[in-house]
Amino acid sequence: EVRLLESGGGLVQPGGSLRLSCEASGFTFSKNAMSWVRQAPGKGLEWVSGISFRGGSTYYADSVKGRFTISRDNSKDTVYLQINRLRAEDTAVYYCAKLYNYAYLDVWGQGTTVTVSS
Amino acid sequence: EIMMTQSPATLSVSPGERVTLSCRTSQNVDSNLAWNQQKPGQAPRLLIYDASTRAAGIPARFSGSGSGTDFTLTIDSLQSEDLAVYYCQHYNEWPYTFGQGTRLEIK
């Protein structure tokens, strides 16, 4: 069974940092690009970041560029999202998703919740 | 960045009816468009990709059409379990942006 399991969310103060993880199973992780998508409370989906299958290319939404860093460790079948200088507007459920051939998101995780508050 | 516009924002429909949801992109994305369904309290899931191809396990009552800048998701004979928010997303170029969603309510 293809699965994505996110972790690392929690309550963080404004200005703090957090690293989210997404562990994959059931498919050849090292051959697939990956993405992070977030959803603020009561809002729609926002694409955040993507990374190529080897990690050599990364992509970001303008709203997070310079504060978010996506990376991956193919030996651990895991993709990460480092979030720095957290703001209240970063409060959201963060979903990890697998890209099919650098195209559509064909598998989604269940999400991890990040809350930024003092 | 390609902007996505979905309409309507909310739609209230009776079971058994046919539903049509619209998605418009600010630039030509060819057929590089997907539809995702998000039921209450759940993660999104892929419904349609390449504008018109159903994902694995998706019922035949769901169909997609369109290319270029105008796309449609049609649900034939709406079921009560189709209560959800539907999002279109392009993957023509980075960033892969989403529409704001159409909320489907069951009468």
Side-chain angles (χ1 to χ4, degrees), chain A residues 23-24 29-30 53-54 72-80:
Chain A
E23 185 174 1
F29 179 76
S30 60
F53 67 98
R54 288 179 180 169
R72 64 190 296 159
D73 185 340
N74 286 347
S75 70
K76 296 182 179 179
D77 290 347
T78 301
V79 60
Y80 305 98

Side-chain angles (χ1 to χ4, degrees), chain B residues 15-61:
Chain B
E17 288 189 16
R18 189 181 199 214
V19 175
T20 300
L21 282 59
S22 175
C23 175
R24 181 165 290 178
T25 62
S26 62
Q27 300 174 33
N28 180 11
V29 299
D30 293 323
S31 294
N32 297 317
L33 187 115
W35 290 92
N36 295 277
Q37 177 193 61
Q38 187 177 33
K39 294 183 177 181
Q42 295 185 17
R45 72 162 176 166
L46 178 68
L47 278 182
I48 301 283
Y49 61 91
D50 294 346
S52 61
T53 304
R54 275 189 306 277
I58 301 303
R61 64 179 182 276

Side-chain angles (χ1 to χ4, degrees), chain B residues 67-79:
Chain B
S67 67
T69 61
D70 287 288
F71 301 87
T72 299
L73 174 69
T74 300
I75 310 174
D76 284 319
S77 190
L78 187 78
Q79 306 293 306

Side-chain angles (χ1 to χ4, degrees), chain A residues 13-92:
Chain A
Q13 290 190 340
S17 297
L18 209 56
R19 189 176 82 156
L20 307 182
S21 300
C22 170
E23 185 174 1
S25 60
F27 65 97
T28 307
F29 179 76
S30 60
K31 293 186 177 180
N32 286 271
M34 300 294 293
S35 242
W36 287 94
V37 175
R38 69 182 179 182
Q39 186 170 36
K43 302 297 184 182
L45 302 174
E46 179 187 16
W47 180 84
V48 170
S49 184
I51 188 166
S52 61
F53 67 98
R54 288 179 180 169
S57 296
T58 57
Y59 312 90
Y60 299 96
D62 287 344
S63 58
V64 306
K65 210 171 287 185
R67 294 191 303 120
F68 287 26
T69 303
I70 190 171
S71 61
R72 64 190 296 159
D73 185 340
N74 286 347
S75 70
K76 296 182 179 179
D77 290 347
T78 301
V79 60
Y80 305 98
L81 187 68
Q82 177 71 37
I83 309 176
N84 296 328
R85 302 195 304 279
L86 276 155
R87 307 167 178 168
E89 53 265 35
D90 296 321
T91 294

